Amino acid sequence: MIQRLPQSALDPAGPAAERIAALWDFAFWTAAVVYVVVIAALLYAAFHRKRPAAVPVVDRDPRTERRLLVAVSGATAATVVILLVFFVVDLGVTGAVANPAAMHEHSTVSRARHEAPAGALRVKVTGYQWWWKIEYLDSVPSRRVTTANELVVPVGRPVAIDFESGDVIHSFWVPALHGKRDLVPGRTTRLTIEAARPGVYRGECAEFCGHQHAKMALHVVAQPADEFAVWYEAQLAPASVPADSLRRAGMHVFLGKPCAMCHNIAGLPASGQVAPDLTHLASRRTIAAGILPNTKGHLAGWILDPQRIKPGAKMPPNGLSPDELEAILAFLGGLR
């Protein structure tokens, strides 16, 4: 079983999520106070009203009418004030989380809408049915990294993400780090997230995108800056021809099957672009877009019959002999 990971907007782990959680707290306690006042007024009216006379008498006492007018006017005015306060506070939070540069006092970048803070890590995330392609952007092409379903970020550094969709509308949502952002075909949307502490935070596609929408998860792995730098350098290294005979046999099985037509493995003659990049598959925590632990047994089941695990996925079943399966598992297990 996959370990249960933080996935709550009420347990924020980043500045934007903290703003959103604070808005929720404000709304909750304001509503709680209003509820208590309304219930108290109802109880007062129920247990402190005068008993009606045998013959109803219309009370036209001006003082009573004046008190009622003041009470109703006061309640109406209080409601309007509360709604206005809600509007102002909500507008402030919306502007703050949409303006990531504004949350970094030392940023020298223009605080225009959607402008990323200076020094932000730039990433491109593309949603597909039903997985996430993640590309770390760099001005030097040789230092760009491509992975899938697992976004590794440095703690305390903003991560500016450009979102695109390769098919239908998806929605990126990591509740502990930020709000939702839609991925719309033909458009680029943007979001800046930041993790304030190390950890692994679970995200989801929050827009129904087809049969396996519920099995389109994503993990954000927040690491200290030095650990992230080590991870990034390791991801830049291409795969090489294995020295071990079993792994080398597995490589030939992989390259001789349709696998190499869909998946890319840098350094080897496998350059498919329609499925997750497998160059460093063994370094990931999960497979199949976050729904299975990355273990030998689960990987074997996924390779042989992915349709049983995720019906409708683009990956077809693979008819492999036991020896071929053992060899390909050894090969993939070495892709770190």
Side-chain angles (χ1 to χ4, degrees):
M1 297 294 291
I2 295 178
Q3 179 185 3
R4 189 172 183 180
L5 301 174
Q7 192 181 6
S8 172
L10 303 184
D11 183 21
E18 288 173 357
R19 295 287 188 100
I20 295 171
L23 175 62
W24 188 93
D25 289 339
F26 173 76
F28 174 82
W29 289 111
T30 302
V33 170
V34 171
Y35 176 80
V36 170
V37 170
V38 171
I39 295 301
L42 288 174
L43 292 175
Y44 178 84
F47 293 104
H48 292 80
R49 62 187 178 86
K50 295 179 181 180
R51 294 182 177 275
V55 179
V57 177
V58 178
D59 185 1
R60 303 294 296 180
D61 185 352
R63 291 174 299 177
T64 300
E65 292 187 353
R66 198 159 42 245
R67 285 197 298 268
L68 288 173
L69 178 62
V70 170
V72 172
S73 299
T76 303
T79 301
V80 172
V81 170
I82 291 171
L83 291 175
L84 284 175
V85 171
F86 266 125
F87 174 74
V88 172
V89 173
D90 181 70
L91 203 62
V93 172
T94 301
V97 299
N99 231 346
M103 291 191 290
H104 294 77
E105 296 180 355
H106 303 293
S107 174
T108 58
V109 179
S110 168
R111 298 190 176 189
R113 193 174 181 84
H114 301 304
E115 190 72 33
L121 178 68
R122 304 202 69 87
V123 177
K124 178 182 175 182
V125 173
T126 306
Y128 295 97
Q129 293 176 309
W130 291 274
W131 61 285
W132 307 89
K133 181 179 181 180
I134 300 170
E135 300 170 87
Y136 292 81
L137 307 179
D138 195 283
S139 57
V140 180
S142 62
R143 291 196 57 80
R144 295 180 179 179
V145 167
T146 300
T147 183
N149 304 317
E150 191 170 291
L151 177 60
V152 181
V153 301
V155 171
R157 182 180 176 186
V159 181
I161 308 175
D162 289 346
F163 294 102
E164 294 183 0
S165 172
D167 38 49
V168 300
I169 296 177
H170 301 280
S171 186
F172 176 94
W173 188 30
V174 184
L177 298 180
H178 212 298
K180 302 174 184 177
R181 182 66 81 240
D182 286 349
L183 288 69
V184 182
R187 293 185 56 189
T188 298
T189 54
R190 295 178 174 85
L191 185 71
T192 298
I193 66 172
E194 181 179 335
R197 60 177 185 267
V200 182
Y201 306 99
R202 181 180 170 89
E204 297 280 354
C205 176
E207 180 79 23
F208 181 73
C209 56
H211 186 40
Q212 292 300 326
H213 160 70
K215 293 183 178 180
M216 187 175 172
L218 174 138
H219 293 165
V220 177
V221 182
Q223 299 178 337
D226 54 345
E227 293 184 18
F228 172 78
V230 172
W231 174 87
Y232 197 89
E233 292 301 321
Q235 295 293 307
L236 289 171
S240 57
V241 177
D244 176 79
S245 59
L246 181 60
R247 290 188 57 227
R248 190 163 56 250
M251 180 191 71
H252 291 306
V253 173
F254 184 92
L255 297 176
K257 297 286 184 179
C259 315
M261 298 174 62
C262 297
H263 296 280
N264 177 70
I265 299 180
L268 297 177
S271 55
Q273 298 296 321
V274 297
D277 188 292
L278 302 182
T279 305
H280 298 283
L281 172 66
S283 67
R284 299 173 197 161
R285 289 166 170 76
T286 64
I287 58 173
I291 65 171
L292 293 174
N294 191 2
T295 63
K296 185 177 180 179
H298 285 102
L299 185 58
W302 176 253
I303 291 172
L304 290 176
D305 192 5
Q307 296 302 314
R308 181 181 61 84
I309 298 169
K310 207 168 183 177
K314 301 298 189 294
M315 182 172 170
N318 292 283
L320 299 175
S321 69
D323 289 342
E324 288 176 326
L325 179 61
E326 186 66 26
I328 204 169
L329 288 173
F331 168 63
L332 295 176
L335 296 177
R336 295 189 175 276

